[in-house]
Amino acid sequence: MHFTARFALLALATLLTACAGNAPAPQTPVVPPFPTVTHDSSADVLMSAIGLVGTPYRYGGNTPDSGFDCSGLIGYVYRNSAGIQLPRSTREMIGIRAPSVGRDALQSGDLVFFATNGGSQVSHAGIYVGEGRFVHAPSTGGTVRLDSLSNAYWQKSYLSAKRVLSASRLAQQP
């Protein structure tokens, strides 16, 4: 075989072998400590949450395609609209180091927590959207919906609220 042809064949084999190798492992991104806000206001959070009304409930669900449970809905909305990674469960969410908010001081985007199983143990959560209303994924067979905190059931089971978005990032209420 001619030297040039042999060299070309060797170069081709080398290139093909390089393409067949394993790709380098992706670098793990450095995630800044909680909370990180990448959008200008809670308007993105509100629009995202309200836009998911009607999505089916599914225990353990955390995407619009698979359905949502309450903490999956909250995690999805904050991750995709505000760049904030929240814990997966309501018990972990209620324990985050974020300011607690009185019921009379709720602002759009605040997380609201409930004890729907009786007692004082958190078992449900939603995203406050203003005017006494919140978006949540309530129960099996249902869908993500908007409810009122003034409803007797939610009044009775209300526990507390947390402000995840900083005050300068909150949507202005009229």
Side-chain angles (χ1 to χ4, degrees), residues 100-153:
S100 293
V101 179
R103 195 171 182 166
D104 58 341
L106 288 170
Q107 293 284 332
S108 298
D110 289 344
L111 302 182
V112 288
F113 298 96
F114 304 90
T116 57
N117 296 332
S120 61
Q121 186 75 22
V122 66
S123 55
H124 189 64
I127 301 171
Y128 186 75
V129 296
E131 299 181 8
R133 298 170 59 129
F134 67 104
V135 172
H136 65 125
S139 60
T140 301
T143 62
V144 173
R145 69 181 193 216
L146 208 53
D147 264 321
S148 175
L149 288 173
S150 64
N151 174 295
Y153 178 80

Side-chain angles (χ1 to χ4, degrees), residues 8-163:
L9 186 59
L10 182 59
L12 180 61
T14 304
L15 285 173
L16 290 175
T17 303
C19 292
N22 292 332
Q27 295 292 322
T28 304
V30 176
V31 178
F34 170 82
T36 300
V37 178
T38 59
H39 290 263
D40 293 335
S41 73
S42 66
D44 293 324
V45 168
L46 301 182
M47 293 305 292
S48 177
I50 291 169
L52 293 166
V53 167
T55 303
Y57 176 91
R58 191 186 110 213
Y59 181 77
N62 58 9
T63 68
D65 293 334
S66 66
F68 291 109
D69 64 12
C70 66
S71 57
L73 170 69
I74 293 168
Y76 178 85
V77 167
Y78 272 86
R79 184 174 50 257
N80 290 298
S81 62
I84 296 175
Q85 184 72 36
L86 291 170
R88 178 59 176 98
S89 74
T90 55
R91 283 189 192 152
E92 293 170 316
M93 281 182 193
I94 201 169
I96 61 174
R97 290 191 311 193
S100 293
V101 179
R103 195 171 182 166
D104 58 341
L106 288 170
Q107 293 284 332
S108 298
D110 289 344
L111 302 182
V112 288
F113 298 96
F114 304 90
T116 57
N117 296 332
S120 61
Q121 186 75 22
V122 66
S123 55
H124 189 64
I127 301 171
Y128 186 75
V129 296
E131 299 181 8
R133 298 170 59 129
F134 67 104
V135 172
H136 65 125
S139 60
T140 301
T143 62
V144 173
R145 69 181 193 216
L146 208 53
D147 264 321
S148 175
L149 288 173
S150 64
N151 174 295
Y153 178 80
W154 298 116
Q155 279 188 357
K156 184 181 90 172
S157 60
Y158 182 87
L159 284 176
S160 66
K162 294 273 186 169
R163 180 151 302 148

